[in-house]
Protein backbone atom coordinates (compact mmCIF):
# COMPACT_ATOMS: atom_id res chain seq x y z
CA UNK A 1 0.00 0.00 0.00
CA UNK A 2 1.41 3.38 -0.94
CA UNK A 3 2.48 5.43 2.01
CA UNK A 4 0.69 8.75 2.21
CA UNK A 5 2.89 11.50 3.54
CA UNK A 6 0.90 13.93 5.62
CA UNK A 7 1.86 17.59 5.47
CA UNK A 8 4.53 18.49 7.98
CA UNK A 9 2.31 21.03 9.61
CA UNK A 10 -0.26 20.67 12.27
CA UNK A 11 -2.87 22.83 13.82
CA UNK A 12 -2.63 23.98 17.38
CA UNK A 13 -6.18 24.87 18.22
CA UNK A 14 -6.56 26.63 21.53
CA UNK A 15 -9.87 26.54 23.34
CA UNK A 16 -8.97 28.45 26.46
CA UNK A 17 -10.16 31.17 28.75
CA UNK A 18 -6.71 32.63 28.41
CA UNK A 19 -3.13 31.86 29.30
CA UNK A 20 -1.63 35.15 30.33
CA UNK A 21 -1.43 34.99 34.11
CA UNK A 22 -1.07 31.25 34.66
CA UNK A 23 -4.29 31.01 36.70
CA UNK A 24 -6.70 30.12 33.91
CA UNK A 25 -7.46 26.55 33.01
CA UNK A 26 -7.81 25.82 29.30
CA UNK A 27 -8.02 22.92 26.86
CA UNK A 28 -5.57 22.84 23.96
CA UNK A 29 -5.61 20.67 20.86
CA UNK A 30 -2.59 19.55 18.85
CA UNK A 31 -3.53 18.15 15.48
CA UNK A 32 -1.54 16.63 12.64
CA UNK A 33 -3.28 14.82 9.84
CA UNK A 34 -5.80 12.43 11.41
CA UNK A 35 -3.99 12.36 14.78
CA UNK A 36 -5.19 14.76 17.47
CA UNK A 37 -4.28 15.26 21.10
CA UNK A 38 -6.11 17.35 23.69
CA UNK A 39 -4.31 18.66 26.75
CA UNK A 40 -4.97 20.95 29.68
CA UNK A 41 -2.68 23.10 31.78
CA UNK A 42 -4.36 21.62 34.86
CA UNK A 43 -1.65 19.12 35.74
CA UNK A 44 -0.06 19.49 32.26
CA UNK A 45 -2.44 16.65 31.48
CA UNK A 46 -3.17 14.62 28.33
CA UNK A 47 -6.98 14.47 27.99
CA UNK A 48 -7.31 12.54 24.74
CA UNK A 49 -5.28 10.96 21.95
CA UNK A 50 -7.29 10.17 18.81
CA UNK A 51 -5.68 7.69 16.41
CA UNK A 52 -6.74 5.68 13.35
CA UNK A 53 -7.03 1.90 13.66
CA UNK A 54 -6.04 -0.68 11.00
CA UNK A 55 -9.13 0.31 8.95
CA UNK A 56 -8.69 4.05 9.42
CA UNK A 57 -11.41 4.30 12.08
CA UNK A 58 -10.66 7.00 14.65
CA UNK A 59 -10.85 6.34 18.38
CA UNK A 60 -9.70 8.04 21.56
CA UNK A 61 -7.15 5.74 23.20
CA UNK A 62 -6.55 7.36 26.61
CA UNK A 63 -8.78 7.24 29.68
CA UNK A 64 -9.96 10.53 31.17
CA UNK A 65 -12.76 12.32 32.99
CA UNK A 66 -15.76 14.17 31.50
CA UNK A 67 -14.57 17.55 32.83
CA UNK A 68 -11.53 19.26 34.35
CA UNK A 69 -13.39 19.57 37.68
CA UNK A 70 -13.33 15.79 38.03
CA UNK A 71 -9.53 15.91 38.35
CA UNK A 72 -9.58 17.95 41.54
CA UNK A 73 -10.23 15.15 44.04
CA UNK A 74 -8.95 12.36 41.86
CA UNK A 75 -6.53 9.57 42.81
CA UNK A 76 -6.21 7.93 39.39
CA UNK A 77 -3.83 10.60 37.96
CA UNK A 78 -5.37 10.18 34.48
CA UNK A 79 -2.90 11.72 32.01
CA UNK A 80 -1.21 13.94 34.61
CA UNK A 81 2.42 14.95 34.89
CA UNK A 82 3.18 13.74 38.41
CA UNK A 83 5.93 15.10 40.66
CA UNK A 84 7.97 16.62 42.26
CA UNK A 85 8.77 12.94 42.87
CA UNK A 86 6.64 10.42 41.00
CA UNK A 87 5.88 7.02 42.49
CA UNK A 88 6.45 6.26 46.18
CA UNK A 89 8.76 7.54 48.91
CA UNK A 90 8.86 5.06 51.78
CA UNK A 91 7.77 6.48 55.12
CA UNK A 92 7.30 9.89 53.40
CA UNK A 93 10.81 10.88 54.49
CA UNK A 94 14.35 11.14 53.19
CA UNK A 95 17.66 12.82 53.87
CA UNK A 96 20.09 14.75 51.66
CA UNK A 97 23.61 15.57 52.87
CA UNK A 98 22.57 15.04 56.49
CA UNK A 99 19.44 17.21 56.23
CA UNK A 100 16.26 15.29 57.06
CA UNK A 101 12.94 15.99 55.32
CA UNK A 102 9.54 14.75 56.53
CA UNK A 103 6.75 14.88 53.99
CA UNK A 104 2.98 14.58 54.51
CA UNK A 105 1.97 11.00 53.59
CA UNK A 106 -0.92 10.48 51.16
CA UNK A 107 -0.66 6.72 50.57
CA UNK A 108 -0.83 5.03 53.95
CA UNK A 109 2.38 6.10 55.67
CA UNK A 110 4.11 6.77 52.35
CA UNK A 111 4.21 9.58 49.79
CA UNK A 112 2.79 8.93 46.31
CA UNK A 113 3.25 11.06 43.18
CA UNK A 114 4.50 14.18 44.97
CA UNK A 115 1.93 14.38 47.76
CA UNK A 116 -1.70 15.35 48.25
CA UNK A 117 -1.27 18.29 45.89
CA UNK A 118 1.50 17.25 43.55
CA UNK A 119 2.25 18.59 40.07
CA UNK A 120 -0.83 16.79 38.68
CA UNK A 121 -3.06 19.04 40.80
CA UNK A 122 -1.62 22.48 40.08
CA UNK A 123 -2.33 24.94 37.28
CA UNK A 124 0.62 25.23 34.92
CA UNK A 125 1.35 28.29 32.82
CA UNK A 126 1.18 27.99 29.04
CA UNK A 127 4.63 29.37 28.35
CA UNK A 128 4.54 29.31 24.58
CA UNK A 129 3.36 27.57 21.52
CA UNK A 130 4.80 27.69 18.06
CA UNK A 131 2.37 26.90 15.31
CA UNK A 132 3.53 23.72 13.64
CA UNK A 133 5.85 22.80 16.47
CA UNK A 134 4.98 22.45 20.17
CA UNK A 135 3.22 23.57 23.33
CA UNK A 136 5.11 24.20 26.57
CA UNK A 137 3.69 24.17 30.09
CA UNK A 138 5.75 25.60 32.97
CA UNK A 139 5.41 25.54 36.74
CA UNK A 140 7.44 27.18 39.49
CA UNK A 141 7.51 24.83 42.47
CA UNK A 142 8.33 26.65 45.70
CA UNK A 143 10.68 25.74 48.53
CA UNK A 144 8.75 23.58 51.00
CA UNK A 145 5.94 22.67 48.59
CA UNK A 146 4.54 19.34 49.82
CA UNK A 147 7.64 19.24 52.07
CA UNK A 148 10.27 19.20 49.31
CA UNK A 149 13.34 21.43 49.58
CA UNK A 150 14.26 24.28 47.26
CA UNK A 151 12.69 26.27 44.46
CA UNK A 152 12.34 24.26 41.26
CA UNK A 153 11.55 25.56 37.77
CA UNK A 154 9.72 22.91 35.76
CA UNK A 155 8.64 22.69 32.13
CA UNK A 156 6.90 20.08 30.00
CA UNK A 157 6.94 20.20 26.21
CA UNK A 158 4.54 18.18 24.06
CA UNK A 159 5.60 18.07 20.41
CA UNK A 160 4.64 16.19 17.27
CA UNK A 161 7.61 14.57 15.56
CA UNK A 162 7.25 13.58 11.90
CA UNK A 163 3.69 12.40 11.16
CA UNK A 164 3.02 9.78 13.84
CA UNK A 165 5.26 10.44 16.83
CA UNK A 166 4.64 12.38 20.01
CA UNK A 167 7.61 13.72 21.96
CA UNK A 168 7.34 14.65 25.64
CA UNK A 169 10.20 16.51 27.30
CA UNK A 170 10.10 17.15 31.05
CA UNK A 171 12.75 19.50 32.39
CA UNK A 172 13.51 20.92 35.82
CA UNK A 173 16.17 23.16 37.31
CA UNK A 174 16.97 23.42 41.01
CA UNK A 175 17.55 27.03 42.02
CA UNK A 176 18.84 26.96 45.58
CA UNK A 177 18.77 23.57 47.38
CA UNK A 178 19.50 19.96 46.44
CA UNK A 179 16.18 18.21 45.81
CA UNK A 180 14.95 14.89 44.43
CA UNK A 181 13.20 15.17 41.06
CA UNK A 182 11.39 12.35 39.28
CA UNK A 183 8.64 13.41 36.88
CA UNK A 184 6.35 10.98 35.07
CA UNK A 185 3.60 11.07 32.44
CA UNK A 186 0.65 9.10 33.87
CA UNK A 187 -1.64 8.41 30.88
CA UNK A 188 -3.74 5.25 30.85
CA UNK A 189 -3.83 3.68 27.39
CA UNK A 190 -6.35 1.37 25.77
CA UNK A 191 -5.36 1.04 22.12
CA UNK A 192 -8.73 -0.49 21.18
CA UNK A 193 -10.46 2.68 22.41
CA UNK A 194 -10.83 4.14 25.88
CA UNK A 195 -14.34 2.72 26.32
CA UNK A 196 -13.71 -0.66 24.67
CA UNK A 197 -13.36 -2.73 27.84
CA UNK A 198 -10.12 -4.05 29.32
CA UNK A 199 -6.56 -4.27 28.03
CA UNK A 200 -6.02 -7.97 28.88
CA UNK A 201 -5.87 -8.96 25.17
CA UNK A 202 -3.27 -6.28 24.36
CA UNK A 203 0.12 -7.74 23.54
CA UNK A 204 3.08 -6.09 25.20
CA UNK A 205 6.82 -6.40 24.94
CA UNK A 206 8.95 -4.73 27.60
CA UNK A 207 12.63 -4.15 26.90
CA UNK A 208 13.41 -4.87 30.53
CA UNK A 209 14.97 -7.99 32.02
CA UNK A 210 14.67 -7.01 35.70
CA UNK A 211 12.30 -5.42 38.19
CA UNK A 212 12.70 -3.66 41.53
CA UNK A 213 10.55 -5.91 43.79
CA UNK A 214 8.36 -4.29 46.44
CA UNK A 215 6.97 -5.02 49.89
CA UNK A 216 3.28 -5.14 50.85
CA UNK A 217 3.11 -1.30 50.75
CA UNK A 218 4.58 -1.21 47.22
CA UNK A 219 7.89 0.21 48.49
CA UNK A 220 10.99 -1.27 46.81
CA UNK A 221 13.05 -3.65 48.93
CA UNK A 222 16.23 -2.31 47.30
CA UNK A 223 16.86 -5.49 45.34
CA UNK A 224 16.97 -5.79 41.55
CA UNK A 225 15.76 -9.21 40.39
CA UNK A 226 15.51 -10.86 36.96
CA UNK A 227 12.05 -11.44 35.47
CA UNK A 228 13.00 -14.69 33.70
CA UNK A 229 10.62 -17.57 34.46
CA UNK A 230 8.18 -15.31 36.35
CA UNK A 231 4.77 -13.81 35.43
CA UNK A 232 6.61 -10.47 35.08
CA UNK A 233 8.59 -11.55 32.02
CA UNK A 234 7.49 -9.62 28.94
CA UNK A 235 10.84 -9.76 27.14
CA UNK A 236 8.99 -11.61 24.39
CA UNK A 237 5.55 -10.25 23.43
CA UNK A 238 2.52 -11.84 25.06
CA UNK A 239 -0.98 -10.90 26.12
CA UNK A 240 -1.16 -8.85 29.31
CA UNK A 241 -3.88 -11.13 30.67
CA UNK A 242 -1.95 -14.36 30.11
CA UNK A 243 -0.48 -14.46 33.64
CA UNK A 244 -2.05 -11.44 35.30
CA UNK A 245 -3.76 -13.48 38.01
CA UNK A 246 -0.46 -15.08 39.02
CA UNK A 247 1.08 -11.59 39.19
CA UNK A 248 -1.85 -10.16 41.14
CA UNK A 249 -2.11 -7.40 38.54
CA UNK A 250 0.93 -5.41 37.42
CA UNK A 251 2.15 -2.35 39.32
CA UNK A 252 5.93 -2.62 39.34
CA UNK A 253 9.02 -0.75 38.20
CA UNK A 254 10.95 -2.46 35.41
CA UNK A 255 14.65 -1.78 34.89
CA UNK A 256 14.97 -0.81 31.23
CA UNK A 257 17.73 -2.73 29.46
CA UNK A 258 20.71 -0.57 28.57
CA UNK A 259 21.41 -1.40 24.96
CA UNK A 260 24.18 1.19 24.68
CA UNK A 261 22.45 2.59 21.60
CA UNK A 262 22.64 6.29 22.28
CA UNK A 263 20.43 8.77 24.10
CA UNK A 264 17.05 7.01 24.04
CA UNK A 265 16.33 3.38 24.92
CA UNK A 266 13.44 1.34 23.55
CA UNK A 267 11.10 0.72 26.46
CA UNK A 268 7.97 -1.01 25.19
CA UNK A 269 5.79 -2.11 22.29
CA UNK A 270 2.04 -2.53 22.80
CA UNK A 271 -0.58 -3.72 20.29
CA UNK A 272 -4.36 -3.67 20.58
CA UNK A 273 -5.77 -6.99 19.43
CA UNK A 274 -9.04 -5.68 17.97
CA UNK A 275 -7.83 -2.39 16.50
CA UNK A 276 -4.34 -3.30 15.28
CA UNK A 277 -3.08 -0.04 16.79
CA UNK A 278 0.52 -0.25 17.93
CA UNK A 279 2.33 2.07 20.32
CA UNK A 280 6.09 2.05 20.75
CA UNK A 281 7.87 3.97 23.49
CA UNK A 282 11.44 5.21 23.91
CA UNK A 283 12.89 7.09 26.88
CA UNK A 284 16.13 8.20 28.51
CA UNK A 285 15.03 7.06 31.99
CA UNK A 286 16.35 3.96 33.81
CA UNK A 287 12.94 2.57 34.77
CA UNK A 288 9.31 2.22 33.69
CA UNK A 289 6.32 1.59 35.94
CA UNK A 290 4.02 -0.91 34.24
CA UNK A 291 0.56 -0.55 35.77
CA UNK A 292 -2.58 -2.32 34.58
CA UNK A 293 -5.26 -0.21 36.25
CA UNK A 294 -5.72 -2.70 39.08
CA UNK A 295 -7.39 -0.10 41.31
CA UNK A 296 -9.91 1.18 38.75
CA UNK A 297 -13.44 0.47 39.93
CA UNK A 298 -16.57 1.89 38.30
CA UNK A 299 -14.82 5.20 37.49
CA UNK A 300 -17.08 7.54 35.53
CA UNK A 301 -15.13 8.56 32.45
CA UNK A 302 -15.63 10.81 29.44
CA UNK A 303 -18.22 10.06 26.74
CA UNK A 304 -20.33 8.11 29.26
CA UNK A 305 -17.67 5.44 29.71
CA UNK A 306 -17.37 3.55 33.00
CA UNK A 307 -13.84 2.31 33.63
CA UNK A 308 -13.48 -0.99 35.46
CA UNK A 309 -10.42 -2.92 36.61
CA UNK A 310 -7.81 -3.29 33.84
CA UNK A 311 -9.54 -0.67 31.61
CA UNK A 312 -6.18 0.91 30.75
CA UNK A 313 -2.44 0.44 31.10
CA UNK A 314 0.24 2.90 32.17
CA UNK A 315 3.86 2.93 31.04
CA UNK A 316 5.42 5.60 33.26
CA UNK A 317 9.08 6.04 32.40
CA UNK A 318 10.88 7.21 35.52
CA UNK A 319 13.72 6.97 37.95
CA UNK A 320 13.36 4.03 40.34
CA UNK A 321 10.74 4.40 43.10
CA UNK A 322 12.02 5.45 46.55
CA UNK A 323 15.49 6.10 45.12
CA UNK A 324 16.07 8.72 47.83
CA UNK A 325 16.18 5.88 50.37
CA UNK A 326 18.18 3.37 48.31
CA UNK A 327 21.78 4.43 47.61
CA UNK A 328 22.18 1.53 45.15
CA UNK A 329 19.45 2.99 42.89
CA UNK A 330 20.30 5.73 40.34
CA UNK A 331 20.26 9.08 42.15
CA UNK A 332 17.40 11.53 41.59
CA UNK A 333 19.06 14.40 43.42
CA UNK A 334 19.33 17.61 41.40
CA UNK A 335 21.74 20.15 42.91
CA UNK A 336 21.43 23.94 42.48
CA UNK A 337 22.47 24.91 38.97
CA UNK A 338 21.93 21.37 37.70
CA UNK A 339 19.07 20.35 35.46
CA UNK A 340 16.86 17.30 35.07
CA UNK A 341 15.69 16.14 31.66
CA UNK A 342 13.28 13.32 30.94
CA UNK A 343 12.48 12.52 27.31
CA UNK A 344 9.77 10.21 25.99
CA UNK A 345 8.95 9.43 22.36
CA UNK A 346 5.80 7.57 21.36
CA UNK A 347 5.29 6.16 17.86
CA UNK A 348 1.77 5.24 16.75
CA UNK A 349 1.00 2.89 13.85
CA UNK A 350 -1.78 0.44 12.91
CA UNK A 351 -1.47 -2.96 11.27
CA UNK A 352 -3.65 -5.84 10.15
CA UNK A 353 -2.92 -9.08 12.00
CA UNK A 354 -0.69 -11.58 10.26
Amino acid sequence: MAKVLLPLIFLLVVAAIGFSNGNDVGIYELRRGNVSIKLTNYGATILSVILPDKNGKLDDVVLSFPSIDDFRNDTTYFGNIVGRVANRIGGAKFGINGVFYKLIPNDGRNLLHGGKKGFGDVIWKVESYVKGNHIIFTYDSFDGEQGFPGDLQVSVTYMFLETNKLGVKMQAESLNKPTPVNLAQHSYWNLDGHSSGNILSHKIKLFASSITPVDSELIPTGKITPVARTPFDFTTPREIGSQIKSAGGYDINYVVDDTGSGHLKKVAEVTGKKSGRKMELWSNQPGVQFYTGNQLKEVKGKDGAVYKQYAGLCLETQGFPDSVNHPNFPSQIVNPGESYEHVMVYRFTAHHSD
Side-chain angles (χ1 to χ4, degrees):
M1 187 170 123
K3 188 175 179 183
V4 179
L5 289 177
L6 299 172
L8 290 181
I9 52 172
F10 71 93
L11 208 54
L12 177 54
V13 181
V14 180
I17 303 164
F19 50 87
S20 56
N21 60 14
N23 293 321
D24 299 322
V25 174
I27 295 174
Y28 307 85
E29 185 179 31
L30 303 174
R31 183 184 294 273
R32 177 173 284 186
N34 55 4
V35 176
S36 66
I37 299 167
K38 282 187 180 172
L39 309 106
T40 176
N41 58 320
Y42 187 90
T45 298
I46 294 177
L47 296 173
S48 67
V49 177
I50 295 175
L51 300 172
D53 71 0
K54 62 190 176 186
N55 298 313
K57 179 176 176 285
L58 296 175
D59 277 307
D60 187 351
V61 297
V62 296
L63 280 55
S64 196
F65 290 114
S67 75
I68 304 299
D69 281 343
D70 297 312
F71 284 91
R72 298 187 195 276
N73 294 305
D74 150 57
T75 54
T76 62
Y77 305 95
F78 282 153
N80 294 157
I81 294 293
V82 291
R84 181 178 298 197
V85 175
N87 217 300
R88 289 172 174 84
I89 295 178
K93 59 188 178 183
F94 63 93
I96 304 176
N97 303 332
V99 181
F100 183 76
Y101 297 97
K102 186 75 180 85
L103 313 169
I104 301 168
N106 65 329
D107 183 54
R109 62 188 195 92
N110 307 307
L111 190 89
L112 175 63
H113 291 330
K116 183 168 173 52
K117 192 176 181 184
F119 291 177
D121 276 312
V122 297
I123 298 172
W124 297 56
K125 183 181 177 186
V126 180
E127 181 70 25
S128 73
Y129 73 89
V130 176
K131 212 168 186 178
N133 197 304
H134 63 251
I135 185 166
I136 301 174
F137 298 117
T138 61
Y139 179 65
D140 292 334
S141 180
F142 57 87
D143 183 15
E145 185 173 8
Q146 300 298 303
F148 288 101
D151 296 305
L152 189 74
Q153 290 181 336
V154 190
S155 72
V156 179
T157 303
Y158 291 96
M159 177 189 297
F160 273 120
L161 306 167
E162 301 169 10
T163 55
N164 61 342
K165 293 179 188 171
L166 172 66
V168 183
K169 183 161 66 173
M170 298 165 245
Q171 295 171 291
E173 187 170 338
S174 171
L175 299 186
N176 40 37
K177 290 181 185 175
T179 183
V181 180
N182 183 32
L183 308 182
Q185 215 302 324
H186 207 299
S187 286
Y188 290 66
W189 302 88
N190 186 324
L191 296 179
D192 290 336
H194 78 98
S195 59
S196 66
N198 64 50
I199 44 79
L200 299 181
S201 67
H202 281 43
K203 273 193 176 172
I204 189 168
K205 178 178 182 178
L206 294 174
F207 294 77
S209 309
S210 305
I211 55 170
T212 52
V214 293
D215 64 18
S216 60
E217 297 179 58
L218 298 178
I219 302 299
T221 62
K223 294 180 180 174
I224 296 174
T225 59
V227 295
R229 296 178 297 281
T230 76
F232 296 90
D233 187 354
F234 288 97
T235 52
T236 54
R238 61 183 173 87
E239 290 193 359
I240 289 171
S242 56
Q243 296 184 55
I244 198 166
K245 286 185 179 173
S246 305
Y250 296 98
D251 189 5
I252 195 78
N253 174 63
Y254 281 76
V255 179
V256 179
D257 294 336
D258 190 353
T259 55
S261 58
H263 181 51
L264 298 183
K265 297 179 285 190
K266 187 80 172 273
V267 175
E269 296 176 351
V270 191
T271 307
K273 187 173 187 175
K274 299 172 218 165
S275 64
R277 291 189 188 91
K278 182 177 181 181
M279 180 175 81
E280 298 165 271
L281 174 61
W282 290 260
S283 172
N284 66 344
Q285 294 299 291
V288 59
Q289 190 83 8
F290 176 43
Y291 175 53
T292 47
N294 315 327
Q295 306 300 322
L296 294 176
K297 186 179 180 183
E298 304 297 326
V299 177
K300 290 182 179 177
K302 60 192 173 185
D303 307 327
V306 177
Y307 303 132
K308 301 182 180 182
Q309 189 179 47
Y310 310 138
L313 67 94
C314 301
L315 289 166
E316 307 156 57
T317 53
Q318 61 181 3
F320 296 174
D322 200 30
S323 285
V324 284
N325 293 311
H326 295 285
N328 59 315
F329 286 178
S331 174
Q332 293 171 0
I333 304 302
V334 179
N335 291 301
E338 293 180 349
S339 56
Y340 162 95
E341 184 173 276
H342 177 172
V343 176
M344 307 174 79
V345 175
Y346 300 91
R347 179 164 67 187
F348 305 109
T349 50
H351 309 272
H352 285 275
S353 310
D354 294 331

